[in-house]
Amino acid sequence: MKLLGVLPFARSLLTAAAGPGDTVVDATAGNGHDTLFLADLVGHTGTVISCDIQEKAIKATQNRLNEAGHVSNIHLHQLGHERLTEITRFNESTIAAAIFNLGYLPKGDKNVTTKGGTTIAAIKQLFAQLKPEGLIVLVIYHGHPEGKLEKDDVLSFIQSLPQEEAHVATYGFINQRNDPPFVAAIEKRLVKGRA
């Protein structure tokens, strides 16, 4: 297959947006896969801010990082991503890239899901801290009732972002059954005359 799957495509966007020394955010730590990927991407000179509302997710992420030998440049926070501005390091940083995997924790409680309102609040906070040409990547899982609502809310919001401020794109497979996940990406535009 020549077309990238949704998750490899999301990671290709992150790789294009961030590198050694950058600060990045995993807004839905989950089982730690993206946090570890981001840690490898920014290296020991970079910083990863990772959060999740569930203790189980934070523990799983910490275990994954420990197994990989990453300890110093990753900051885990058990809180909802809509509370990013409560993190001092977040407020003091310029963010190169961020990722969300929306929905529920794989193999977790399907009643605990991300929601449109809190995801939009987090996107707004991230966009304010994002460097020019930085990216916010959302992997949108909408094969469950709350996911469908969140998808509609998030897409409505990101489609309304002024084109002078952001490029917004989607990527996914439109002929697959069972509501396949897709990627939405927001790139902060480089405003001419500003750094």
Side-chain angles (χ1 to χ4, degrees), residues 119-171:
T119 297
I120 290 167
I123 292 169
K124 289 177 180 177
Q125 292 169 30
L126 280 160
F127 194 78
Q129 297 297 112
L130 206 61
K131 73 177 186 179
E133 298 183 324
L135 277 177
I136 299 170
V137 179
L138 302 115
V139 183
I140 301 176
Y141 292 86
H142 57 108
H144 56 103
E146 187 61 47
K148 287 177 176 38
L149 296 172
E150 183 176 32
K151 176 194 82 165
D152 292 343
D153 290 346
V154 168
L155 287 180
S156 177
F157 172 71
I158 64 176
Q159 287 170 351
S160 74
L161 291 171
Q163 66 180 15
E164 298 79 15
E165 297 177 15
H167 293 292
V168 180
T170 59
Y171 176 88

Side-chain angles (χ1 to χ4, degrees), residues 38-159:
L38 290 171
D40 289 336
L41 188 61
V42 301
H44 68 278
T45 59
T47 299
V48 180
I49 298 167
S50 182
C51 63
D52 203 292
I53 200 166
Q54 296 186 71
E55 181 182 9
K56 178 180 180 181
I58 295 299
K59 286 182 176 177
T61 299
Q62 186 64 68
N63 289 339
R64 186 169 305 281
L65 296 170
N66 290 343
E67 288 171 9
H70 284 286
V71 290
S72 62
N73 65 335
I74 302 160
H75 306 273
L76 298 177
H77 300 272
Q78 187 184 337
L79 49 72
H81 48 228
E82 75 280 8
R83 296 171 56 197
L84 281 167
T85 54
E86 295 177 23
I87 301 170
T88 301
R89 186 172 298 276
F90 175 81
N91 292 320
E92 294 174 348
S93 299
T94 300
I95 307 300
I99 187 163
F100 293 74
N101 274 285
L102 302 180
Y104 51 81
L105 180 66
K107 299 180 182 172
D109 183 350
K110 293 183 179 180
N111 293 312
V112 180
T113 71
T114 54
K115 298 194 180 332
T118 54
T119 297
I120 290 167
I123 292 169
K124 289 177 180 177
Q125 292 169 30
L126 280 160
F127 194 78
Q129 297 297 112
L130 206 61
K131 73 177 186 179
E133 298 183 324
L135 277 177
I136 299 170
V137 179
L138 302 115
V139 183
I140 301 176
Y141 292 86
H142 57 108
H144 56 103
E146 187 61 47
K148 287 177 176 38
L149 296 172
E150 183 176 32
K151 176 194 82 165
D152 292 343
D153 290 346
V154 168
L155 287 180
S156 177
F157 172 71
I158 64 176
Q159 287 170 351

Side-chain angles (χ1 to χ4, degrees), residues 23-35:
T23 299
V24 292
V25 174
D26 183 353
T28 50
N31 288 310
H33 296 285
D34 286 330
T35 300

